[in-house]
Amino acid sequence: MASAGVCPGLYRVGNKFYCRYAKDAEVDPAFMPCVMDYWNCEFYKRWKAEEERKKQAPESVAAPKPEEAAVVRVEAPRPRPAVPLPPLQPTPPPSVDEVEELIQRAVELGRLWESYEREARAVIDAWEEARARLRREIQSLEKSIDAYAAELERLELKAKVGMMPKEEFEEIKASIDAELSKRVSLRDQLEKRLSELDRVVLPHFKRIKAAEAKPEIAKLRLALAKLDQKLKSGEISKEVYERLRSELEDRIRRLERIREEVEE
Amino acid sequence: MMSLVERANAVKELFEQVDRLWESYVAEVRRSLREWERLRPLLAERLSVLKSMIASNLEEMQELSLKLELGLVDEAKAKRRLEELNAETPRLVRELEELWVLREKIVRDSILHMRRAGMPIDVSEEDIAGKEKEVEECFKASIISKEAFEKLKEILAEQLAALKPPSPD
């Protein structure tokens, strides 16, 4: 479906776009020059240069003819005569069909963007829930690890002062060590999974939130002011206030960063 | 009619039986304490996790209600989550209370039998004071109910009493 305005390397599978010049990586045409400006894209330029090189390669690497190989001729570069450029032809106006096609493509893009936005919002919602669940799980594991470590310390002391036979201590220690290592490994796995999840979802989060960063920041600032009022009127405790305030400030900072990135 | 020697032998036999029973009692105390030591880390771990989960659920419930009021969360989503938390938290509280009361009862019994068997006791008055403080903090934070708080305080008082040397009479 390549045409003059769309990069020939762009293709679609389902609702996703991919670029064959970027090793088939997923791309977002709304944020990349795939449409109407693809000749400025680095991936396209690299591919074009490679194509040119391939075209020239057979001529430059062709084996020399025997008579040429025997006699090495050295020629001084001769100045080329200036070739007069043909006069510039006025670009014909786009035909009705071309304009119609362009309109159709723009409409299609809008539809795709809406569909992307809907899907991305669903993913972001699920991501926020999964993130909270993973965090709770990690917190539980931390508590579990701390409790086992404290028990181990207590038993070591007991064995040291002779209140527990050495063999009994070793046996219990081995079972605690096994449990501890299971939990440490599970916690590490969950932390890794959480960071992988953030890595893949954050680009979508940024893209979606970029459009609504400003009103969202205003909404959060208003909530902060209301929170201050609630503390002053004694409706909420200092502890709850501090926790929520820090969360809101963190969200504002994150959105401000996204806004700055977009504005840059 | 039994002779005096026979009667004396019977009494001697009774004391030997008492010795055997005592040895058997001490062996049982040791066995019970060994089992207790194996179970103790698992109980400590579960109790710690339950306390943390309940505290975290209560915090989340409080924050969700507040966020809902401030218009920061979607109402339907917040209500769904609140329903989940409302169903999960009492179940966790019940498990915590049951396990916690059981643990303190075992500690009380272990002190009692260690003392009777003349074994060194691994629980101090400071340990019990620390537990009293924790029980109070958990009650204030609504992690445990009033009934469980009172029951635990009662058992901790029994632990303290068991630590004290028995009166001469």
Side-chain angles (χ1 to χ4, degrees), chain A residues 143-181:
Chain A
K143 284 284 166 191
S144 177
I145 290 164
D146 289 350
Y148 274 131
E151 277 297 294
L152 206 53
E153 207 176 304
R154 183 185 66 78
L155 289 167
E156 263 165 1
L157 190 70
K158 217 172 152 180
K160 205 173 158 187
V161 297
M163 284 173 79
M164 179 184 259
K166 201 169 180 332
E167 308 79 57
E168 197 184 323
F169 167 68
E170 291 298 340
E171 185 206 319
I172 300 175
K173 184 180 182 294
S175 77
I176 292 182
D177 280 342
E179 290 298 324
L180 256 176
S181 99

Side-chain angles (χ1 to χ4, degrees), chain B residues 47-109:
Chain B
L47 289 174
S48 169
V49 169
L50 283 169
K51 282 175 211 161
S52 148
M53 283 170 82
I54 297 167
S56 148
N57 278 9
L58 293 173
E59 272 175 18
E60 195 181 342
M61 282 156 89
Q62 204 176 16
E63 283 179 17
L64 261 179
S65 308
L66 193 56
K67 282 179 183 171
L68 200 57
E69 218 179 307
L70 297 173
L72 291 170
V73 281
D74 175 70
E75 198 177 336
K77 251 167 59 179
K79 281 190 177 158
R80 202 178 60 228
R81 180 68 188 140
L82 278 171
E83 273 170 24
E84 280 172 13
L85 291 167
N86 275 322
E88 187 192 57
T89 313
R91 186 175 54 74
L92 295 174
V93 171
R94 272 198 301 278
E95 190 188 342
L96 171 72
E97 290 178 349
E98 191 181 3
L99 281 179
W100 203 347
V101 166
L102 256 173
R103 184 182 74 171
E104 298 313 333
K105 279 184 178 172
I106 297 176
V107 172
R108 177 199 61 198
D109 293 349

Side-chain angles (χ1 to χ4, degrees), chain A residues 74-176:
Chain A
V74 179
E75 281 183 24
R78 279 178 293 183
R80 287 185 184 179
V83 180
L85 289 168
L88 280 172
Q89 294 294 318
T91 320
S95 70
V96 175
D97 284 352
E98 276 176 327
V99 172
E100 187 55 36
E101 193 201 330
L102 202 57
I103 290 171
Q104 287 306 316
R105 279 193 359 239
V107 169
E108 171 73 357
L109 269 184
R111 203 185 56 75
L112 286 173
W113 174 252
E114 267 174 33
S115 148
Y116 165 77
E117 206 177 1
R118 202 170 40 245
E119 282 296 309
R121 276 185 200 285
V123 166
I124 290 166
D125 277 357
W127 168 62
E128 281 169 347
E129 277 177 31
R131 214 168 182 275
R133 274 207 306 276
L134 280 173
R135 283 202 174 283
R136 272 199 300 278
E137 191 63 33
I138 290 170
Q139 194 187 5
S140 280
L141 285 167
E142 295 281 4
K143 284 284 166 191
S144 177
I145 290 164
D146 289 350
Y148 274 131
E151 277 297 294
L152 206 53
E153 207 176 304
R154 183 185 66 78
L155 289 167
E156 263 165 1
L157 190 70
K158 217 172 152 180
K160 205 173 158 187
V161 297
M163 284 173 79
M164 179 184 259
K166 201 169 180 332
E167 308 79 57
E168 197 184 323
F169 167 68
E170 291 298 340
E171 185 206 319
I172 300 175
K173 184 180 182 294
S175 77
I176 292 182

Side-chain angles (χ1 to χ4, degrees), chain B residues 2-169:
Chain B
M2 283 174 84
S3 72
L4 206 55
V5 170
E6 281 168 338
R7 282 182 66 190
N9 269 328
V11 171
K12 190 174 169 287
E13 179 60 34
L14 280 176
F15 276 114
E16 280 167 4
Q17 173 69 4
V18 167
D19 275 345
R20 280 194 296 274
L21 284 173
W22 176 252
E23 276 160 26
S24 159
Y25 167 74
V26 172
E28 275 303 295
V29 170
R30 283 190 203 286
R31 198 179 67 82
S32 306
L33 289 173
R34 263 201 309 277
E35 282 306 307
W36 170 225
E37 280 302 357
R38 284 196 185 96
L39 179 76
R40 209 163 159 171
L42 306 179
L43 265 181
E45 187 252 359
R46 186 64 188 154
L47 289 174
S48 169
V49 169
L50 283 169
K51 282 175 211 161
S52 148
M53 283 170 82
I54 297 167
S56 148
N57 278 9
L58 293 173
E59 272 175 18
E60 195 181 342
M61 282 156 89
Q62 204 176 16
E63 283 179 17
L64 261 179
S65 308
L66 193 56
K67 282 179 183 171
L68 200 57
E69 218 179 307
L70 297 173
L72 291 170
V73 281
D74 175 70
E75 198 177 336
K77 251 167 59 179
K79 281 190 177 158
R80 202 178 60 228
R81 180 68 188 140
L82 278 171
E83 273 170 24
E84 280 172 13
L85 291 167
N86 275 322
E88 187 192 57
T89 313
R91 186 175 54 74
L92 295 174
V93 171
R94 272 198 301 278
E95 190 188 342
L96 171 72
E97 290 178 349
E98 191 181 3
L99 281 179
W100 203 347
V101 166
L102 256 173
R103 184 182 74 171
E104 298 313 333
K105 279 184 178 172
I106 297 176
V107 172
R108 177 199 61 198
D109 293 349
S110 75
I111 297 172
L112 211 67
H113 290 289
M114 279 190 276
R115 171 165 294 289
R116 280 184 193 156
M119 293 173 184
I121 297 170
D122 62 353
V123 182
S124 67
E125 284 187 14
E126 291 75 42
D127 293 337
I128 298 172
K131 284 197 281 188
E132 276 175 336
K133 203 176 157 203
E134 195 189 359
V135 166
E136 258 184 54
E137 279 170 3
C138 282
F139 172 57
K140 276 183 195 158
S142 306
I143 292 172
I144 53 169
S145 66
K146 193 167 191 315
E147 294 75 44
F149 165 66
E150 277 165 1
K151 183 79 195 159
L152 283 165
K153 279 195 80 169
E154 187 190 310
I155 304 168
L156 292 176
E158 286 168 1
Q159 288 181 8
L160 263 181
L163 270 184
K164 292 196 175 108
S167 58
D169 13 302

